Amino acid sequence: MSARRLRLGMVGGGEGAFIGAVHRIAARLDDRYDLVAGAFSSNPEVATRSGDALHVAADRCYTRWEVMAEREAARDDGIDVVAIVTPNHLHVPVARAFLAKGIHVICDKPLGLNLAEGHILAEDVARSGCHFVLTHNYSALPMVREAQRRVAAGELGEIRSIEVTYLQGWLNERAELGDNKQARWRADPLRAGAGAAGDIGTHAWQLAAFVTGMSPEAVRGELLTRVAGRQLDDEVFAEMRYASGARGRLWASQVATGHENDLRLHIVGTRASLTFCQQQPNQLTLLPHDAPAFTVTRNGHGMSAAVAQQCRTPAGHPEGYLEGFAQIYREAADLIQGKPMPLLPGIVDGIAGMQFIARLRESSAQGGSWVTWA
């Protein structure tokens, strides 16, 4: 495939949606995509208004994603890739429909509702020959990539401990009972599958696994529902045990009063430690054993040349959340057009996220006992 702009379709993300706009901004940022089709809503009026607002031709605004997959695959100018920005219960069925038509997929996380359907999707991905990309955007931030490079290079020595926390407070009350569209579907077991474990726990899980390159041999934890009447978990505590002897802890909460989007990673090794905080995404702090602590800044002195190529602005000009998504979209375009992108999250990351939820549920049901990862 030539290096032309890719034709992008979108399922979900219509009027009133949050994450759809984030994906569209990300796709535009590096001028690699044209949004040409969409099933933005099953409501015909909303679908039409959304298409008009996004300058998508009326004959390519669909109310059913099954029809969209069929018709776009039949067009000479049909979409190359689809972005799935729906609630979780539709991720797998929508992805399978487009993969079956030979259309690449960029999907919001988590992978789906459960591990079983994740394995089914993995088989479809392999059979289709298409690419499947999962938008774990935090792992695409330059300072996270810098952390991953330094760990892989052995700068921290042998990893002893991993701690990752993701704290939000926006569901500290039952926002799902009001007109908050995002809260309503995230609190619905049929549409979300899991609560905090899926929505932000999988982000924390993938961040720690991405930077360290490590998977545990066993996990244990608790899924808690702190707000009375809520059907899904809103707080998660987990511990990880690794074959190397390393230990890990994960805490994800949507009821951490006063916290906004507080994702933090701390890794301790025999030679050095590192700390990253998503709310200061342009900084990475290193703490060596026998030298003063120091901070590496995005595109600043001390940052590796390979990671600096990802940066879009000079040092001191902040980049963050949207640029992380944009990096996923940039690398997805490169991947689709034939360039290997080894750090791009995909079906393997999605399966691991579903496995994390499944093992936590198993452990929590057994009172927090250790369960094997495999």
Side-chain angles (χ1 to χ4, degrees):
M1 187 178 291
S2 66
R4 62 173 173 81
R5 287 200 298 270
L6 297 176
R7 293 184 290 266
L8 175 68
M10 181 169 281
V11 176
E15 188 178 84
F18 160 68
I19 203 65
V22 171
H23 281 252
R24 290 190 291 270
I25 292 168
R28 289 197 300 266
L29 202 57
D30 293 308
D31 202 27
R32 302 293 298 275
Y33 301 83
D34 290 321
L35 180 65
V36 297
F40 303 111
S41 174
S42 58
N43 182 313
E45 293 182 0
V46 174
T48 298
R49 287 198 303 268
S50 299
D52 287 345
L54 297 171
H55 310 290
V56 173
D59 66 334
R60 299 183 79 173
C61 286
Y62 306 91
T63 55
R64 293 178 55 199
W65 46 267
E66 305 96 320
V67 173
M68 177 179 166
E70 187 80 32
R71 292 184 181 175
E72 288 296 318
R75 296 178 65 114
D76 292 336
D77 62 348
I79 61 173
D80 303 298
V81 55
V82 64
I84 303 173
V85 293
T86 64
N88 303 343
H89 70 296
L90 291 175
H91 289 182
V92 168
V94 174
R96 296 187 70 196
F98 282 87
L99 290 169
K101 297 297 181 180
I103 296 170
H104 303 287
V105 173
I106 300 173
C107 184
D108 204 52
K109 52 95 309 261
L111 186 65
L113 288 178
N114 54 58
L115 183 59
E117 69 170 12
H119 284 307
I120 292 171
L121 178 59
E123 293 175 0
D124 282 4
V125 172
R127 187 164 42 245
S128 72
C130 294
H131 296 294
F132 178 90
V133 175
L134 201 63
T135 55
H136 276 296
N137 57 300
Y138 299 115
S139 66
L141 294 172
M143 302 320 297
V144 171
R145 296 281 177 89
E146 181 71 10
Q148 186 271 342
R149 184 194 68 82
R150 289 174 180 265
V151 171
E155 289 189 29
L156 272 64
E158 182 181 344
I159 301 301
R160 285 177 171 163
S161 61
I162 304 162
E163 183 171 80
V164 61
T165 60
Y166 198 158
L167 307 182
Q168 299 175 339
W170 73 292
L171 291 179
N172 199 37
E173 296 178 341
R174 294 200 65 189
E176 64 267 29
L177 298 181
D179 59 0
N180 188 319
K181 180 178 179 180
Q182 305 306 317
R184 285 202 305 272
W185 77 256
R186 282 175 170 84
D188 181 355
L190 296 180
R191 289 188 288 173
D199 199 32
I200 59 176
T202 52
H203 263 315
W205 173 264
Q206 193 268 345
L207 179 66
F210 174 81
V211 174
T212 64
M214 295 168 59
S215 293
E217 63 176 8
V219 298
R220 67 179 178 185
E222 290 184 281
L223 299 176
L224 303 175
T225 303
R226 299 292 201 181
V227 177
R230 181 166 287 153
Q231 293 181 274
L232 289 173
D233 57 281
D234 49 27
E235 189 161 48
V236 178
F237 294 90
E239 293 181 77
M240 293 83 77
R241 189 172 66 204
Y242 298 86
S244 65
R247 296 294 186 266
R249 294 189 301 181
L250 183 150
W251 175 24
S253 178
Q254 292 171 313
V255 293
T257 308
H259 287 267
E260 294 175 344
N261 201 65
D262 193 358
L263 172 60
R264 298 173 186 258
L265 176 66
H266 189 65
I267 303 173
V268 176
T270 54
R271 296 177 57 193
S273 301
L274 67 76
T275 299
F276 172 78
C277 176
Q278 187 275 146
Q279 293 183 155
Q280 288 82 44
N282 295 275
Q283 300 177 355
L284 176 68
T285 300
L286 281 297
L287 302 93
H289 170 64
D290 53 1
F294 63 96
T295 297
V296 180
T297 58
R298 189 200 53 78
N299 220 3
H301 296 295
M303 188 176 192
S304 66
V307 178
Q309 293 177 358
Q310 172 180 329
C311 301
R312 292 168 172 77
T313 58
H317 295 71
E319 293 184 11
Y321 181 74
L322 292 173
E323 288 85 359
F325 269 100
Q327 188 66 20
I328 296 289
Y329 270 85
R330 177 201 283 179
E331 293 182 359
D334 285 339
L335 181 68
I336 291 167
Q337 294 176 331
K339 184 178 179 180
M341 288 286 119
L343 299 182
L344 192 60
I347 190 67
V348 172
D349 299 75
I351 292 292
M354 292 293 96
Q355 189 163 337
F356 166 68
I357 296 171
R359 296 297 177 264
L360 273 188
R361 281 180 170 156
E362 184 180 349
S363 175
S364 189
Q366 296 174 9
S369 63
W370 287 103
V371 297
T372 56
W373 176 254

